[in-house]
Amino acid sequence: MTNHLHITKYTPATVRLSQSNLRSPSSVLLIILAVIQSVPLFFGGFMFFSKPVTIQAKLECDRNSRQKIICELSQLKTNYFRSDRSVVKIENLKEAQIAAYTPNLENVKSYQIVLNHQNLSTPFMTDDDVGFSLNETRNKVNKINAFIGDITQEKLTTELIKEPILLRTIGIFIILLVTIAIILLIVNLSVYSCILFDKSTGTITIINRRIGKGQKITYPLSRVEYIIENKISKNRFEKIKKLEVLQPTDKIIARSQIGKQKTVKPYFHIVSLKLNSGQCLFLYDSPYSCTYEVNLINHFINASQSE
């Protein structure tokens, strides 16, 4: 329980130390900054994912009674909030061919489809920056040429769609990054820690809670003689900061005293229960001095024992 717990209630019957990350001024500032930064990032990621430039070309052909093939090649280009549609009439379609996307044939990785009709050639997708894989273009070309050669087929509909996968990937990455950051922030801010010394029940209740996880431990107050604070160097603290609540700290405290002259600031402070048996149990730790809290709780314990 790494916190700087404050005494939030002090009565003759109970003493409560608690801390909620959500109530601290730094948390409020963190929330404001997170919202300011996450909204445009999330919106940008959503724009990349949902509204990138998309090009869709569709070829619709009919074979008339004279065995002539009349086609309509339409292309729809969507650029975020704007859409442009163009239509080209193709009469007497003769053949479909594969054309290289780049002039340097040795490094060709993308291909286009060219439609030959009468004495003209029309690219299936008129955008010069768009190319497709060899397998995809070959399948489309074979389908078109099969229709041309089969006089029993009266209609043909085929299309090519080019979506910017990279932009969509970037959009998904941004959305996931923002979502994970917000979730981690919410989980961190939901952390609540409380230690309640209660004479009426004769117990010490320790509560650690956050979203998705909760812990509640009780311990008899009658076994506690007083509580102590020990100052430990940062290096030593790094080795014990995962110490579970109510675990023995005697050896750790004893070892921390060895070479005490060599310790270097900053220090961390651990608060422990000193039991009647002489054993020490870890209660909580703090980067700040806990002398005020320790003195008040000891006064409370002494008063309860004298009653």
Side-chain angles (χ1 to χ4, degrees):
M1 187 196 303
T2 305
N3 282 305
H4 183 57
L5 279 73
H6 301 274
I7 293 181
T8 55
K9 183 179 181 180
Y10 188 92
T11 69
T14 59
V15 174
R16 181 174 62 207
L17 295 90
S18 62
Q19 178 178 344
S20 174
N21 288 351
L22 191 59
R23 297 179 181 179
S24 65
S26 59
S27 297
V28 175
L29 179 60
L30 185 61
I31 292 173
I32 295 174
L33 292 176
V35 170
I36 293 174
Q37 294 177 1
S38 63
V39 169
L41 282 174
F42 190 87
F43 181 75
F46 181 77
M47 292 293 293
F48 276 132
F49 175 72
S50 63
K51 295 291 185 180
V53 179
T54 302
I55 304 174
Q56 179 180 4
K58 187 175 184 180
L59 180 68
E60 298 176 287
C61 298
D62 290 303
R63 193 189 306 270
N64 61 21
S65 58
R66 297 180 181 181
Q67 294 299 319
K68 288 186 177 181
I69 300 174
I70 308 300
C71 302
E72 181 180 275
L73 179 62
S74 60
Q75 181 170 295
L76 179 65
K77 183 176 183 179
T78 304
N79 188 354
Y80 294 98
F81 300 108
R82 180 182 175 183
S83 296
D84 295 321
R85 187 174 187 272
S86 60
V87 179
V88 177
K89 294 291 184 179
I90 297 177
E91 296 184 1
N92 198 16
L93 179 63
K94 298 294 185 181
E95 184 186 18
Q97 293 180 330
I98 299 176
Y101 167 62
T102 57
N104 187 356
L105 297 179
E106 294 181 358
N107 297 320
V108 167
K109 292 184 179 180
S110 297
Y111 301 84
Q112 294 176 332
I113 299 174
V114 176
L115 303 173
N116 298 324
H117 55 104
Q118 296 180 342
N119 296 323
L120 301 174
S121 296
T122 301
F124 193 104
M125 191 167 280
T126 57
D127 195 293
D128 295 334
D129 297 328
V130 178
F132 295 88
S133 68
L134 180 59
N135 288 337
E136 188 171 6
T137 51
R138 181 182 289 143
N139 291 337
K140 296 295 182 182
V141 165
N142 292 339
K143 182 177 181 180
I144 296 170
N145 288 334
F147 168 78
I148 295 172
D150 187 358
I151 61 175
T152 62
Q153 295 187 43
E154 296 182 357
K155 293 183 179 295
L156 170 71
T157 300
T158 186
E159 63 181 2
L160 283 172
I161 300 176
K162 191 66 176 180
E163 294 182 324
I165 298 177
L166 178 60
L167 290 180
R168 287 189 181 275
T169 303
I170 293 174
I172 293 175
F173 176 77
I174 293 175
I175 291 172
L176 289 177
L177 185 64
V178 173
T179 302
I180 292 173
I182 292 175
I183 291 174
L184 292 177
L185 177 62
I186 292 173
V187 170
N188 180 64
L189 294 181
S190 69
V191 172
Y192 172 76
S193 302
C194 173
I195 301 176
L196 179 66
F197 295 80
D198 193 337
K199 289 183 184 178
S200 61
T201 60
T203 60
I204 302 171
T205 303
I206 304 168
I207 298 173
N208 290 316
R209 186 173 63 239
R210 70 177 186 187
I211 293 177
K213 183 179 180 180
Q215 181 188 45
K216 183 177 180 180
I217 303 173
T218 59
Y219 193 80
L221 182 60
S222 59
R223 296 184 182 179
V224 179
E225 184 175 352
Y226 54 87
I227 68 172
I228 58 176
E229 175 188 5
N230 291 91
K231 189 166 62 173
I232 297 180
S233 68
K234 181 178 179 180
N235 292 339
R236 191 65 197 163
F237 175 77
E238 291 297 323
K239 297 180 181 179
I240 69 164
K241 64 180 180 180
K242 293 183 179 179
L243 188 64
E244 296 292 334
V245 176
L246 300 183
Q247 294 300 307
T249 59
D250 306 64
K251 294 181 180 179
I252 294 173
I253 294 173
R255 285 199 298 266
S256 69
Q257 304 301 322
I258 299 175
K260 185 176 181 181
Q261 302 299 324
K262 299 180 181 179
T263 58
V264 180
K265 292 184 178 181
Y267 294 103
F268 283 87
H269 304 261
I270 64 170
V271 176
S272 304
L273 300 175
K274 183 68 174 180
L275 305 184
N276 297 325
S277 62
Q279 190 180 31
C280 291
L281 298 182
F282 174 73
L283 190 59
Y284 72 97
D285 58 73
S286 171
Y288 308 104
S289 174
C290 306
T291 303
Y292 175 74
E293 290 81 5
V294 168
N295 289 338
L296 280 181
I297 296 172
N298 281 332
H299 177 75
F300 172 83
I301 292 174
N302 293 332
S304 64
Q305 292 174 345
S306 62
E307 292 177 355

